[in-house]
Amino acid sequence: MNQARDGCGGDASGLKLYDKKLPSRHCYLSEHLSCSTTSIGHSFQVGQIVELALFAFHNITLFPGQLLPFCVAEFTDIDVEIEQFLSGEQSIGIVSCNQIIEEQNDRPIEALSIYGVTADVQSFEISSDNCLVGLLIGRQKFYTVNISQNEGQIFATGKVQILHDPQDLSSTGDLAIGNILAQPRNHLVCWPLWLYRLYDKSSLKQQIKNLILPWFDCPNQLFESGNCDAFSIYVASQLPVPVLWRLNLFSMNNVVNRLRTTLKYLNRYNALRCLQCETVITHYSNIFSMSSVGPVAIYVDSDGQHYETVTTSNTENISWSSKKSFRLSWFPGFSWSCGICSNCGHTIGWKYVTFDRKVIPKFFYCLLLSTLEPCHTT
């Protein structure tokens, strides 16, 4: 295990750090895709009801500002609507499709989330073998009013209402918690100061920051800004938790509630275990970023299957395949091999090893969040 951790460091002369912007560019799809997240795109007014084409993705929750790669094999027919999406003339809606247990029949069913995010095609390319690849970027959160799908349509159409995180009492008015904390103690007649801190956005943000800062080499500028709303969204997208938990954070319309729930998750859990047999796989202390977007990222394979992953420096209880491949590596310059839980044989993720002797880390692990669940170990 120590060897795996050592693979993420190194102090010998001549070594160079891996360029962590490469995975975020998704150049395994194409070297010509633009991954800039600063473009304006479409913007709808808060409260506006708009009609969008809705696309459902399994086990994925797309957040505003987050990139989603896509790959469509044997793409030959571009109709008018598809052309509008690709050209950026029209936004689409992204919702999460997840398996839940039906209460009446106690059986698993596929269910669409009522919350989603508008998205624009950031960049795309059609290869010589008719494969459509590209990047979507999440824009604005919405609530689904209704969904319809006519016979012959390849996607559903939905009326959605554009949402935002409302400003709560902690940021406005004479009783703003930030103001209360700045006042002399004798102004707090009824409640102790520590109680107000439980609902103070800045205090909650600082506590979360202290817990997850080791996960990031170069902390996002949101860590340093005073924008607690954007911070809560970004951190929610980076939590190594099941998709339904992340969807719960995404659906919250109150920033303080989202920060408090995030902090609860981070304080309650410190490890990830196999979803099938509950064997411990890694600890939160091993999480680190191999992509400029953070430790949690979404990738896609040549079949269009999406994978939400977390990168770690160390694992345990995983059996790794001896077969290595460089094909469509999500991390250019690294080969990959598959890993399964050594106890139950459930697929867990991949081990990546560099073939450049001067690059560090020498190896790391990319784990599937859909096959893991948080746990607490002593």
Side-chain angles (χ1 to χ4, degrees), residues 86-106:
L86 295 178
S87 65
E89 296 178 13
Q90 188 171 334
S91 294
I92 63 175
I94 303 296
V95 293
S96 179
C97 181
N98 303 285
Q99 191 175 84
I100 62 174
I101 302 299
E102 190 177 31
E103 293 183 1
Q104 295 180 345
N105 300 320
D106 195 29

Side-chain angles (χ1 to χ4, degrees), residues 53-70:
L54 297 181
F55 293 84
F57 290 88
H58 285 265
N59 296 320
I60 294 293
T61 298
L62 186 66
F63 283 76
Q66 193 174 20
L67 287 174
L68 178 68
F70 62 88

Side-chain angles (χ1 to χ4, degrees), residues 144 168 254 271 321:
T144 305
D168 51 75
N254 184 283
S321 170

Side-chain angles (χ1 to χ4, degrees), residues 41-79:
H42 294 277
S43 180
F44 301 102
Q45 292 183 352
V46 173
Q48 181 179 355
I49 295 180
V50 296
E51 189 170 273
L52 299 174
L54 297 181
F55 293 84
F57 290 88
H58 285 265
N59 296 320
I60 294 293
T61 298
L62 186 66
F63 283 76
Q66 193 174 20
L67 287 174
L68 178 68
F70 62 88
C71 177
V72 182
E74 299 180 0
F75 186 83
T76 57
D77 185 20
I78 302 182
D79 60 20

